[in-house]
Amino acid sequence: MFILGFHFPADMGNSIEDTAVVEKLDAQVAEVGIDDITAIELEMGLRGKEVQKITYTNKDTFMFKALAAYLKDETYIAKDGEKYLVYTNRYQMAELSKRLDSDDETMDLCKKFDSMEQFRVKAA
């Protein structure tokens, strides 16, 4: 089972506890460091069409840590300083964040992540 790109052994089944994901995320954040990221800029929509720009700044949330770790993860290729946010990762971030975070800014971003729009993300 993979959640946010983290591998969980098959003997854990398909129902992985949120705490197990948070532990792996915290370990990754400690390893790569995200203190240099003060805000995350997202673009929602297709280029050449109407694009919505979002700046996410709530550093005290699971969502911020997950997005910052995604930016630092070299598995995902950056082009011109930005990365496309893969739907599966976006959906998993939103579902976990809905359970772990409670602020309005994050809940609004979670709703946007539920769409099928394309997202590009970069550090501000």
Side-chain angles (χ1 to χ4, degrees):
M1 170 68 90
F2 285 90
I3 299 177
L4 299 182
F6 301 122
H7 177 260
F8 292 90
D11 64 353
M12 291 182 80
N14 290 333
S15 209
I16 308 299
E17 293 292 325
D18 293 349
T19 54
V21 178
V22 170
E23 285 175 14
K24 287 201 180 218
L25 179 60
D26 287 344
Q28 181 183 17
V29 165
E31 182 180 321
V32 299
I34 62 168
D35 291 338
D36 59 327
I37 300 176
T38 57
I40 296 172
E41 293 180 0
L42 299 108
E43 284 187 358
M44 176 181 166
L46 297 172
R47 285 204 172 112
K49 307 252 180 196
E50 189 172 325
V51 173
Q52 181 178 1
K53 294 184 183 251
I54 303 161
T55 301
Y56 184 68
T57 59
N58 195 343
K59 291 185 82 168
D60 297 326
T61 62
F62 169 85
M63 178 65 81
F64 191 92
K65 284 195 283 187
L67 286 169
Y70 184 85
L71 285 170
K72 294 280 186 150
D73 190 336
E74 294 179 5
T75 304
Y76 307 102
I77 308 295
K79 183 176 180 189
D80 299 326
E82 67 183 17
K83 295 181 177 185
Y84 278 91
L85 194 52
V86 179
Y87 177 77
T88 302
N89 286 356
R90 193 172 76 223
Y91 172 80
Q92 291 172 343
M93 283 179 196
E95 289 305 305
L96 283 160
S97 189
K98 287 175 190 175
R99 293 191 297 271
L100 299 170
D101 300 323
S102 60
D103 63 286
D104 292 340
E105 180 185 15
T106 304
M107 293 304 109
D108 184 52
L109 186 57
C110 287
K111 287 178 190 170
K112 288 177 170 84
F113 277 7
D114 286 341
S115 76
M116 292 303 290
E117 290 286 349
Q118 286 188 1
F119 281 82
R120 288 167 301 285
V121 61
K122 65 182 177 180

